[in-house]
Amino acid sequence: MSNTSSKVRQTALTAVLAAVVLLMAFTPLGYLRVGPVSITFLVIPVVIGGMTLGPVRGGFLGAVFGATSFAQCFMGDPFGAALMALSPLATAAACFIPRVLIGVVAGLLFPALLKVSRSHALAFIVPAVAGTLTNTVLFVGMVVGFFQGSYFGGSPFWTIFAGFFTVNVALELAVGVVVSAALSAVLDRFVLKAPRYQIAE
């Protein structure tokens, strides 16, 4: 595949994944709401973008995710609205930084694992796990750091946090890792037609 053709495919896939992020963000496909907490599945197209397109484009997709996450604070998300009322700047940081790093982490780990691992499956699964955990752990960690002394609707922060962390990690990992790894493998081989598989063979 020529360099020009490869860049065209990468740009087209970036646009498609960005559109998927936007579609999921503003429809019921992207969020599962459990009480005041929103569990997001938007990590999936960002992880896919990081693995198939690299850390720069993956980071861009993460920024799109972050922008939609920040927008949700103004569109009826009770948890996001509560954070915004306490500190708009801290809320923006928690929305953008973990999401950008999803694509960066997945994009850096994937080619590195292809070089050292004999298992293609492992090369897809580990970045999917790392990208998903990057989002959940960093977002939760930043919320803890910024808002741990706060109250939400009369409930102590740690009451909300306990339910958020346990439910979030389990569901986002279970769904995100399986879907991200499987779709990334398909896109990398059949859409981008990447020759990287030769590295580990």
Side-chain angles (χ1 to χ4, degrees):
M1 186 190 303
S2 69
N3 188 51
T4 301
S5 177
S6 176
K7 287 188 177 297
V8 168
R9 286 176 181 268
Q10 289 176 0
T11 301
L13 182 56
T14 302
V16 169
L17 289 173
V20 170
V21 170
L22 293 172
L23 175 65
M24 292 178 69
F26 299 112
T27 67
L29 295 174
Y31 290 90
L32 174 65
R33 303 196 185 278
V34 181
V37 174
S38 294
I39 297 166
T40 181
F41 301 121
L42 273 75
V43 66
I44 294 170
V46 180
V47 168
I48 291 171
M51 286 197 284
T52 58
L53 298 166
V56 174
R57 292 177 186 268
F60 165 74
L61 291 168
V64 175
F65 174 15
T68 66
S69 181
F70 190 62
Q72 293 289 336
C73 299
F74 304 93
M75 300 174 62
D77 182 343
F79 190 67
L83 297 182
M84 277 292 294
L86 294 167
S87 174
L89 184 60
T91 303
C95 286
F96 278 96
I97 294 173
R99 278 61 193 260
V100 170
L101 289 177
I102 298 169
V104 174
V105 168
L108 292 174
L109 278 177
F110 180 65
L113 285 169
L114 279 180
K115 292 178 180 179
V116 301
S117 173
R118 294 183 176 276
S119 169
H120 293 156
L122 189 65
F124 283 101
I125 292 171
V126 171
V129 172
T132 303
L133 284 177
T134 295
N135 175 60
T136 304
V137 173
L138 277 184
F139 177 75
V140 171
M142 293 182 77
V143 169
V144 170
F146 291 137
F147 302 105
Q148 60 182 311
S150 306
Y151 280 73
F152 298 93
S155 298
F157 172 84
W158 290 105
T159 301
I160 301 295
F161 169 77
F164 177 86
F165 187 76
T166 53
V167 175
N168 245 43
V169 171
L171 282 178
E172 289 184 6
L173 265 180
V175 177
V177 171
V178 173
V179 177
S180 299
L183 288 180
S184 294
V186 172
L187 289 171
D188 201 58
R189 182 180 286 271
F190 296 108
V191 177
L192 297 177
K193 297 179 169 35
R196 291 174 289 184
Y197 292 90
Q198 297 173 4
I199 295 174
E201 292 177 349

